[in-house]
Amino acid sequence: MSARGPARDPVRTSVVGLGWAAKSIWLPRLRQHPSFSVASVVDPNTAAHAEIAQDRGGTRLLTDVAELDRSTTDLAIVAVPNHLHSTVACRLLRMGIPVFLEKPVCLNSAEAEQLAAAEQAGGAVLLAGSAARYRSDVRTLRQVISEDLGELRHIELSWVRARGVPDAGGWFTQRQFAGGGALVDLGWHLLDTVGPILGPVGFDQAVGTVSDDFVNDRTSAAAWRKDAPKRDASDGDVEDTARGFLITEDGVSVAIRASWASHEPYDVTRIRVDGSAGSATLTCTFGFSPNRRKGSSLILVRDGVEIDVPLPEEEIGAEYLQQLDELPALLADPASQGRTVDEVRRTIAVIERIYRSARRARIGARSTRAARTVPHSTLLNTEDHHA
C-alpha cells in the first residue's frame, strides 16, 4: 500500500546541501508529497537560502548540521558534493538522525565501513537514493524476468548520453571531489538496478576500461542542468565512459557501460536480460535529460517470437516520488538498519574493481607504447647484450 495519505504524521525532513539535486529533485517533490514536510534546509552558503526563504510551513534556514535536533528532525536528505557524502552522513547518523543519502553513497570501501559504524553507534537508519529501481518500467522488467525467463544467464546494462557531462569544469569532473566520473555517477544507478535482479551475490571476476574523449569538451556539457559556466572547463581528470564485465559466483555474466557523452543522437538506457527460457530488453532513458526518445519499450523474445510488453506511462522523474512513497515505511522498519550498507558494500566493491582493472590496462598500454618508441638501434643493442 502507498505511504501517501493521512495514515501517519508527515516526516519532518531536513534537506542538506542546496545544489542541483536538492533544488531540482528533492525540494519540489517533498513539498508536494503529503507524507513529508520540509522542516529545514542546511547549506553553509547563505546565498543559497534565498530561493528557500518563501517556502511554506516556516522552513528553518541553517548553515550547519550541528544545528539540527533529533527531536525535531525525522529524516535528513543529504545531497552535498560526493566527497562530503560520507562525512556529513556519518555526523548525522551519530547524532541519531536517520539519513537518506544521495548516490554515490560512498567513494570507497573505507567510507562504507565508516557509514556502517556511524549507523550502529547512533542507532539511526541509513537509506540510499535508488530511484531507478522504482521506475514502473524497471519494475515490469523484473516481473517479466521472474515469470518468463527461467534461469538467468547474462545481463547487459547501459546508460549512454549523447551529450551530458555534468558541471563541466566543476567538482563533478575532478576526481578528488567526485571520486570518479560516469561509472560513479551513472554506473551506480545501473548497478543499483541490477541488484534486485541478481539478489545479494558476489562477483568472482571483474574487468573494466575507461576513456575520457569528451570530458573536457565544452560542447559535451549537460546543458539541461543549467550549471553556471566554469572559468576553466578543461581540467577534468575523470572518465566520461566506463565499461565493465562481471561474472557472479554462480556464473551469470554482467556487461555494463556508463557514458556521459558519446556519438549517439539521443540519451538511451538499455537493459537486456538473457535467460534459459527467453530474453527481455527494456529501452528507455534514465534521468532528466530532454534529449531522449519518447517513452519506454519492453520486448520479450521466446522461441523466435517477439512480444511487446505493455508499460504504464509515467512522467519524467516519477520514480523519485515513488521512492518517497516507500520511505516512511522503511524508516519505521527495524529491519532497515544495516540493509543499505550491505548493498553499498557490494556496489562500491564492484566499482573499485572496475577502476583497478582500468588502471592496470592503462599502465600496460603506456608501457607498450613506450616500448614501441624505443629506437630500432637500441633494440638491436639490447638483443646483442642479452645474447
Side-chain angles (χ1 to χ4, degrees), residues 323-347:
Q323 184 167 23
L324 287 178
D325 286 347
E326 306 293 335
L327 283 187
L330 291 173
L331 283 170
D333 184 1
S336 294
Q337 193 169 46
R339 184 183 296 154
T340 293
V341 167
D342 286 343
E343 293 185 355
V344 166
R345 285 184 176 117
R346 290 190 291 271
T347 300

Side-chain angles (χ1 to χ4, degrees), residues 299-356:
I299 305 297
L300 169 65
V301 181
R302 289 185 299 190
D303 297 325
V305 178
E306 290 189 352
I307 302 170
D308 192 347
V309 180
L311 292 172
E313 291 188 14
E314 60 182 4
E315 295 181 358
I316 296 174
E319 62 267 30
Y320 291 90
L321 271 176
Q322 290 162 8
Q323 184 167 23
L324 287 178
D325 286 347
E326 306 293 335
L327 283 187
L330 291 173
L331 283 170
D333 184 1
S336 294
Q337 193 169 46
R339 184 183 296 154
T340 293
V341 167
D342 286 343
E343 293 185 355
V344 166
R345 285 184 176 117
R346 290 190 291 271
T347 300
I348 194 60
V350 169
I351 289 173
E352 287 176 324
R353 291 175 70 181
I354 291 174
Y355 276 141
R356 282 198 299 269

